[in-house]
Amino acid sequence: AQTVTQSQPEMSVQEAETVTLSCTYDTSESDYYLFWYKQPPSRQMILVIRQEAYKQQNATENRFSVNFQKAAKSFSLKISDSQLGDAAMYFCAFSPLAGEKLTFGTGTRLTIIP
Amino acid sequence: ETGVTQSPTHLIKTRGQQVTLRCSSQSGHNTVSWYQQALGQGPQFIFQYYREEENGRGNFPPRFSGLQFPNYSSELNVNALELDDSALYLCASSRPDGVEQFFGPGTRLTVL
């Protein structure tokens, strides 16, 4: 069974600064998908970024980028130029196949300090 | 394009009762997954429906059951409600060849 671990229950960052959220996972699969989802107080889960395990290049989406270390089973999220709207719960998630069930971590609450 | 919708938004039930939650998938999506998110936790996979058939189930008892309809909308039914069933229930849909699951806003269920 796959497991996803987020060891930082809470993080805070000054507006406009950079913050990195950590995630590790465990799986015996060689191909899989990793995701970072954002859940603001409105509760709706929004996809921030995804990474296919077979791709060596780290994914980037505007201010969001990941550091994917397959051998270490590590998948961290870097948020650059943090904005007040980035405040939310961030969940790391794993899926063994496209569209298949997601296994989530316990989340990291990100606070942006004005 | 209409996103994933869920109803109702909030629901209060008494222990032992039964509840039905509803989800309308995004246009063009034929797969629906249900997740339970307890307070302060990450979502837990309940089950997935693909073309009206159950396509995978998480570690939930049989009193959690579901349906998917020909228009790909879905229902989650929970019988004999327990206090621990209090949670946010999330529905997500995906395209036939899609990697990403698109989530609805959730239904907050409170069991008293």
Side-chain angles (χ1 to χ4, degrees):
Chain A
Q2 294 87 12
T3 59
V4 177
T5 302
Q6 293 180 251
S7 58
Q8 305 156 315
E10 297 185 356
M11 292 282 285
S12 61
V13 63
Q14 292 281 147
E15 194 176 359
E17 295 296 309
T18 296
V19 64
T20 298
L21 308 184
S22 301
C23 172
T24 58
Y25 59 94
D26 189 26
T27 182
S28 57
E29 306 284 343
S30 57
D31 289 326
Y32 47 86
Y33 299 84
L34 295 163
F35 307 84
W36 278 98
Y37 278 91
K38 169 185 177 181
Q39 188 177 41
S42 66
R43 309 181 324 198
Q44 186 135 14
M45 201 74 77
I46 302 164
L47 180 67
V48 174
I49 197 166
R50 78 174 195 228
Q51 175 80 42
E52 289 85 348
Y54 64 85
K55 291 186 178 179
Q56 293 185 339
Q57 188 170 7
N58 289 325
T60 61
E61 287 286 345
N62 301 314
R63 299 182 296 108
F64 299 88
S65 62
V66 299
N67 183 3
F68 173 49
Q69 301 290 327
K70 191 173 184 180
K73 295 181 181 174
S74 171
F75 182 61
S76 61
L77 173 69
K78 185 172 82 171
I79 305 174
S80 303
D81 185 26
S82 297
Q83 301 176 359
L84 294 177
D86 295 334
M89 284 292 290
Y90 285 81
F91 291 96
C92 178
F94 171 101
S95 177
L97 292 169
E100 293 286 309
K101 74 166 194 175
L102 292 165
T103 299
F104 287 87
T106 51
T108 296
R109 181 175 302 280
L110 179 64
T111 301
I112 310 297
I113 303 168
Chain B
E1 183 178 82
T2 305
V4 179
T5 60
Q6 292 185 243
S7 62
T9 304
H10 297 91
L11 201 53
I12 299 175
K13 289 287 188 178
T14 303
R15 190 172 50 184
Q17 287 188 312
Q18 178 267 341
V19 68
T20 297
L21 310 182
R22 294 177 175 82
C23 170
S24 291
S25 60
Q26 193 163 319
S27 177
H29 293 190
N30 65 354
T31 302
V32 173
S33 302
W34 286 92
Y35 296 84
Q36 180 196 66
Q37 186 178 17
L39 197 62
Q41 301 295 317
Q44 298 288 319
F45 175 74
I46 303 175
F47 44 55
Q48 183 180 81
Y49 277 83
Y50 170 67
R51 291 186 175 179
E52 304 177 57
E53 298 286 332
E54 189 178 287
N55 180 43
R57 187 180 182 93
N59 189 27
F60 281 81
R63 59 188 186 84
F64 284 78
S65 62
L67 282 174
Q68 188 179 31
F69 300 99
N71 66 354
Y72 303 126
S73 65
S74 177
E75 285 182 355
L76 164 64
N77 299 290
V78 187
N79 294 323
L81 283 167
E82 301 177 359
L83 298 179
D84 284 349
D85 295 334
S86 294
L88 179 67
Y89 288 84
L90 296 168
C91 167
S93 71
S94 53
R95 292 192 306 268
D97 58 347
V99 173
E100 180 182 351
Q101 295 187 23
F102 294 79
F103 283 81
T107 293
R108 171 75 65 191
L109 172 65
T110 301
V111 182
L112 302 177

